């Protein structure tokens, strides 16, 4: 490690073992008490729960010492991630969810063919971290979290990220040093290519690792349980899209470009069953081929967004978590194909992405931004970044509809 010239001397080592912010603890506890009382009267209120969660996190940080935080980051959390991934792949969470009560390590090992001595150590760590409930010696009951690990939309994210992308994460520092510690925004020069010595983007890489379906399920899971743009209190679909739309049977109404296996359009169909025209799902052929259990009213179209958009004059083209995967030059080429298909005065482009505020960004958005930087050499964007990208493409931002903390916004555009 090099210490910059003129840096002040290291602080007294005792700070490593002092709580981070003990004087703040009483105030945080008061806040938690008030927020907890409020939540108990409105248990379904999303924002109240997040506010209480933020206070609970602040409490943990205030109480922890730097040493404890450090051990948590570099021992406990990596050990959790590796343990969960191994147990998920072996099917331990499915076995536990099926029994849905206390189960011994021996039973889990027997059912999954894992070495009981190895499994005992992994489960012990998950128990000590609160992800399983220790009910006896080498015996555990599931938690809500571990039950949910038997769902692919939750579990598949672990092999996808840990097995597919962790090597890249660990090489990001090396990659950046090779670029004189400069940020790289270039889709042909990514930490993934550096780490894995391949000429592939993340999607191609994960598919080559047998993790394509895992990524699709992970994306579906990432979007669960948060306010969605198509909810009545976020974007008025009826007023902004349905009203004035071409009502003919085959008129394209909503085209989801890079829509993965169709979870957003499926949600749209449930929430807006009486929409006019057609719903169209577009993604690469290899993704469309994997679509299962999608309502037959949603048309599936294999399409590469670097080519001409086949559906012209749709009421709305929609891209969710697509443009953030690419630096501006690639986005400009994707947008060119959308803009060319849009009908003046009629078509909208709906971009469903994070709009990072100048301060006070949510941790989920900042985490995603760093992951996107590492994996794609791309970024989450501020409103100024979005304007700089969308306006030169020939679009005008009509409105930005916010989904609230931790949720993407809907940037509504029309031709300029
Ligand atoms: C981060 S995922 C987002 C998926 C979906 N919109 C969602 O929000 O869950 C990006 C999507 O872009 C698709 N994609 C990547 N390259 C593409 C291309 N050249 N043409 C069309 N889709 C592409 C991927 O297959 C993937 O489904």
């Amino acid at each position: 490690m090099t210490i910059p010239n003129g840096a002040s001397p290291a602080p007294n080592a005792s700070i490593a073992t002092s709580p981070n912010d003990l004087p703040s603890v009483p105030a945080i506890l008061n806040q938690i008490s008030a927020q907890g009382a409020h939540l108990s009267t409105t248990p379904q209120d999303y924002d109240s729960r997040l506010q209480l969660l933020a206070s609970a996190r602040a409490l943990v940080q205030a109480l922890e010492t730097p040493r404890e935080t450090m051990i948590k980051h570099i021992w406990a959390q990596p050990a959790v991630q590796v343990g969960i991934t191994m147990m998920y792949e072996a099917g331990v969470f499915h076995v536990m969810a099926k029994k849905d009560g206390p189960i011994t390590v021996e039973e889990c090992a027997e059912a999954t063919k894992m070495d009981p001595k190895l499994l005992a150590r992994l489960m012990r760590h998950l128990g000590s971290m609160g992800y399983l409930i220790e009910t006896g010696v080498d015996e555990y009951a599931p938690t809500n979290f571990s039950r949910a690990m038997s769902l692919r939309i939750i579990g598949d994210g672990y092999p996808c990220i840990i097995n597919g992308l962790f090597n890249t994460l660990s090489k990001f520092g090396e990659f950046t040093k090779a670029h004189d510690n400069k940020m790289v925004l270039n889709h042909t020069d990514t930490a993934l290519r550096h780490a894995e010595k391949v000429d592939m983007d993340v999607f191609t890489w994960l598919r080559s690792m047998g993790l394509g379906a895992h990524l699709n399920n992970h994306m579906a899971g990432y979007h669960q349980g948060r306010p969605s743009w198509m909810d009545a209190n976020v974007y008025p679909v009826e007023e902004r899209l349905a009203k004035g739309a071409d009502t003919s049977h085959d008129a394209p109404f909503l085209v989801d470009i890079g829509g993965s296996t169709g979870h957003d359009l499926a949600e749209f169909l449930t929430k807006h069953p009486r929409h006019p025209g057609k719903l169209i799902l577009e993604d690469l052929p290899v993704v469309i081929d994997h679509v299962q259990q999608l309502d037959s009213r949603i048309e599936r179209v294999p399409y590469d967004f670097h080519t001409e958009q086949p559906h012209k004059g749709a009421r709305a083209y929609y891209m969710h978590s697509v443009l953030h995967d690419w630096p501006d030059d690639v986005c400009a080429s994707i947008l060119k194909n959308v803009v060319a298909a849009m009908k003046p005065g009629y078509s909208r482009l709906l971009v469903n992405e994070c709009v990072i505020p100048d301060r006070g960004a949510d941790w989920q958005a900042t985490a995603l931004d760093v992951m996107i930087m590492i994996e794609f050499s791309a970024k989450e964007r501020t409103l100024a970044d979005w304007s700089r990208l969308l306006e030169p493409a020939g679009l005008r931002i009509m409105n930005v509809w916010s989904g609230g903390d931790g949720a993407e916004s809907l940037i509504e555009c029309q031709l300029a």
Side-chain angles (χ1 to χ4, degrees):
M1 186 179 78
T2 51
I3 303 212
N5 282 341
S8 33
N12 185 317
S14 69
I15 67 160
T17 52
S18 310
N20 285 319
D21 191 5
L22 217 43
S24 294
V25 167
I28 301 174
L29 284 172
N30 284 339
Q31 202 170 4
I32 286 179
S33 167
Q35 289 169 333
H38 179 65
L39 186 64
S40 64
T41 61
T42 54
Q44 304 303 330
D45 187 53
Y46 179 80
D47 289 334
S48 302
R49 186 182 59 81
L50 289 193
Q51 281 154 12
L52 177 54
L53 194 52
S55 300
R57 276 200 196 93
L59 180 66
V60 170
Q61 288 211 339
L63 286 172
E64 266 178 2
T65 67
R67 179 206 157 272
E68 287 157 356
T69 306
M70 177 268 291
I71 296 290
K72 180 176 78 180
H73 286 162
I74 61 183
W75 289 3
Q77 290 174 342
V80 162
Q81 291 154 8
V82 169
I84 287 181
T85 308
M86 289 171 66
M87 287 169 55
Y88 176 69
E89 290 190 299
V92 175
F93 294 110
H94 289 81
V95 172
M96 291 191 80
K98 207 163 156 200
K99 179 149 185 196
D100 205 22
I103 187 167
T104 63
V105 170
E106 201 64 44
E107 282 175 87
C108 291
E110 171 70 30
T112 59
K113 304 289 167 246
M114 270 190 100
D115 177 350
K117 292 196 205 70
L118 165 67
L119 185 56
R121 293 169 68 181
L122 297 180
M123 291 180 82
R124 188 169 60 194
H125 182 48
L126 294 195
S128 76
M129 294 290 287
Y131 298 111
L132 299 176
I133 300 162
E134 193 174 27
T135 49
V137 176
D138 285 336
E139 185 192 82
Y140 298 90
T143 56
N144 190 49
F145 166 75
S146 70
R147 275 189 205 98
M149 279 300 300
S150 60
L151 302 173
R152 289 199 69 178
I153 56 165
I154 300 298
D156 272 7
Y158 287 82
C160 180
I161 305 294
I162 309 300
N163 299 347
L165 299 174
F166 251 49
N167 185 38
T168 300
L169 299 192
S170 70
K171 297 271 171 60
F172 182 61
E174 184 185 288
F175 168 78
T176 304
K177 274 185 211 144
H179 289 81
D180 296 328
N181 284 323
K182 299 259 184 329
M183 180 176 76
V184 178
L185 291 173
N186 176 352
H187 76 290
T188 60
D189 187 9
T190 63
L192 174 80
R193 289 168 191 243
H194 167 84
E196 304 296 354
K197 314 273 177 273
V198 290
D199 185 18
M200 295 179 190
D201 64 25
V202 171
F203 304 108
T204 320
W205 165 251
L206 290 175
R207 280 197 295 274
S208 78
M209 296 275 292
L211 293 168
H214 293 72
L215 174 67
N216 297 338
N217 289 323
H218 174 45
M219 290 311 299
Y222 159 63
H223 297 308
Q224 300 288 314
R226 297 179 309 151
S228 161
W229 67 271
M230 58 189 88
D231 292 342
N233 58 351
V234 181
Y235 179 76
V237 169
E238 274 304 309
E239 186 192 316
R240 306 287 296 187
L241 289 189
K243 199 166 144 192
D246 185 341
T247 52
S248 30
H249 170 66
D250 59 350
F253 179 65
L254 183 59
V255 181
D256 187 354
I257 305 169
S260 187
T261 48
H263 39 264
D264 282 1
L265 287 181
E267 180 188 346
F268 188 87
L269 192 53
T270 309
K271 292 181 173 167
H272 302 281
R274 286 207 295 279
H275 65 83
K278 287 196 296 189
L279 303 183
I280 298 163
L281 170 68
E282 295 179 340
D283 208 301
L284 291 170
V286 67
V287 177
I288 294 292
D289 284 350
H290 275 99
V291 174
Q292 290 166 343
Q293 298 173 332
L294 188 64
D295 193 298
S296 58
R297 286 170 290 175
I298 299 171
E299 193 173 312
R300 306 149 192 213
V301 180
Y303 168 62
D304 178 344
F305 53 45
H306 297 299
T307 63
E308 183 182 339
Q309 169 58 243
H311 295 93
K312 314 283 189 219
R315 179 59 162 158
Y317 297 91
Y318 167 67
M319 281 191 275
H320 187 187
S321 301
V322 169
L323 296 175
H324 76 165
D325 293 336
W326 306 99
D328 285 3
D329 57 334
V330 181
C331 289
S333 131
I334 298 170
L335 288 169
K336 193 165 68 132
N337 293 311
V338 185
V339 166
M342 289 172 74
K343 184 170 159 188
Y346 176 75
S347 300
R348 306 268 159 88
L349 169 63
L350 306 177
V351 177
N352 192 200
E353 295 269 11
C354 295
V355 176
I356 303 273
D358 293 335
R359 17 182 333 192
D362 183 81
W363 65 272
Q364 295 195 55
T366 54
L368 185 58
D369 179 50
V370 174
M371 293 296 274
I372 289 286
M373 170 164 68
I374 297 174
E375 305 301 348
F376 292 87
S377 287
K379 66 193 287 198
E380 299 301 321
R381 293 177 168 88
T382 62
L383 188 55
D385 290 330
W386 283 115
S387 299
R388 264 194 300 272
L389 179 68
L390 295 165
E391 284 165 11
L395 293 156
R396 184 174 72 78
I397 297 179
M398 302 166 76
N399 212 336
V400 178
W401 305 81
S402 169
D405 278 355
E408 290 104 341
S409 295
L410 192 74
I411 308 169
E412 183 186 24
C413 311
Q414 65 178 12
L415 292 176

